[in-house]
Amino acid sequence: MTGIPELLVPAGGKAQLRAAVAAGADAVYLGGSSFNARAGADNFDDDELRRAIDYAHTYGVDIHAALNILLYDDEAGDALEFAAKLYKYGTDAVIVQDAGLASLIHEYLPKLPVHMSTQSTIYSAGGVREAERAGASRVVLARELSFPEIRKICIEKGETEIEIFAHGAICICLSGQCRMSAFIGGRSGNRGKCAQPCRMLYTMLKDGESVTEQGYQLSPKDMCLLGHIDEIAEAGVDSIKIEGRMKSAEYTAVVTSIYRKYLDAAACGEKIP
């Protein structure tokens, strides 16, 4: 096997960025001071963004900037201006959930690659083609898809690149369709302020009586596709994504280095246990 997917790694702050680059990331995704879905991460102000992009490019690593919240109408202009700033700084791509913003970027900044976020809930080849018509060069597929569904999309998709999540936390709700945070925590995950209600302790009740012990009833186990690298590459997936912009630099370093090792082994035709 000669072709392997890009390894795309999260950076919630400067320390995580350095760790990702040192551990072998091909690309890093991060957020600026606004319009990104991890408002609780350290994130990067404008000067830090420019320095981060220059730093990553020095080592041949791409930067994907997240502009992945749903916008109010009166925010569209400011979001487009921020995208223009990212383009000026040399950002390699922007990750967008809002289809309207994707269309605006495609119209006014046609040389800035747009990647449609997993929160856009694209789960079919038809959805991929619609994203392409809106200006997307890559689609991050919905995390709920099975591997046969991913493989089918890769066959039918056309020229658009396909990215999937390969490691980390996943939501109990459908990608991009979660309203639990707004209902329970008073903060919207689609506005970058998820209260993570699915990570809380719950007790199930029936007729007012407990039928379970208190536990993490809504929190799925983390995803780990390390043992499926060969299959992912052979299916034609262009990029695998590690979740975790809220994670530490140590976490970033360890997970990145392990996936780098396995991807390189697959490229050399080594059997992955």
Side-chain angles (χ1 to χ4, degrees), residues 148-162:
E149 290 170 326
I150 293 170
R151 185 191 292 113
K152 185 174 186 291
I153 290 170
C154 287
I155 292 170
E156 299 176 353
K157 66 182 176 62
E159 298 299 317
T160 310
E161 293 181 350
I162 296 296

Side-chain angles (χ1 to χ4, degrees), residues 25-236:
D26 295 311
V28 172
Y29 65 102
L30 48 75
S33 55
S34 56
F35 303 118
N36 88 83
R38 289 293 181 269
D42 290 340
N43 293 315
F44 297 77
D45 63 26
D46 287 358
D47 288 339
E48 290 169 341
L49 273 172
R50 187 169 55 247
R51 289 196 295 270
I53 293 165
D54 290 344
Y55 172 79
H57 287 173
T58 298
Y59 294 93
V61 176
D62 288 347
I63 291 291
H64 301 180
L67 280 79
N68 57 338
I69 65 168
L70 292 176
L71 299 173
Y72 294 120
D73 288 348
D74 60 3
E75 294 175 324
D78 289 339
L80 184 60
E81 286 184 12
F82 188 58
K85 189 181 299 183
L86 290 168
Y87 176 65
K88 179 181 177 182
Y89 292 166
T91 302
D92 298 284
V94 289
I95 305 167
V96 176
Q97 176 186 184
D98 194 299
L101 178 59
S103 296
L104 286 172
I105 292 172
H106 182 57
E107 180 178 357
Y108 293 102
L109 301 165
K111 293 184 179 180
L112 178 60
V114 173
H115 296 175
M116 294 305 294
S117 168
T118 189
Q119 292 170 288
S120 300
T121 325
I122 296 172
Y123 53 85
S124 68
V128 173
R129 289 190 289 271
E130 283 297 321
E132 185 177 17
R133 280 191 280 272
S137 60
R138 177 184 292 188
V139 166
V140 190
L141 293 179
R143 289 169 292 184
E144 299 76 35
L145 290 173
S146 67
F147 187 70
E149 290 170 326
I150 293 170
R151 185 191 292 113
K152 185 174 186 291
I153 290 170
C154 287
I155 292 170
E156 299 176 353
K157 66 182 176 62
E159 298 299 317
T160 310
E161 293 181 350
I162 296 296
E163 178 182 310
I164 65 169
F165 275 86
H167 190 94
I170 55 177
C171 300
I172 193 68
C173 292
L174 294 176
S175 296
Q177 306 301 317
C178 180
R179 300 293 181 269
M180 285 182 62
S181 179
F183 289 152
I184 297 176
R187 309 200 308 263
S188 172
N190 286 317
R191 294 286 295 169
K193 298 179 180 180
C194 181
Q196 297 193 315
C198 58
R199 303 292 185 258
M200 297 177 182
L201 291 164
Y202 292 94
T203 301
M204 294 182 66
L205 305 177
K206 181 178 181 180
D207 299 327
E209 299 292 331
S210 298
V211 295
T212 67
E213 295 183 0
Q214 190 178 61
Y216 296 99
Q217 314 290 354
L218 300 179
S219 184
K221 292 181 178 179
D222 280 11
M223 175 190 295
C224 179
L225 300 184
L226 198 60
H228 300 277
I229 296 296
D230 282 341
E231 298 165 79
I232 291 169
E234 288 166 0

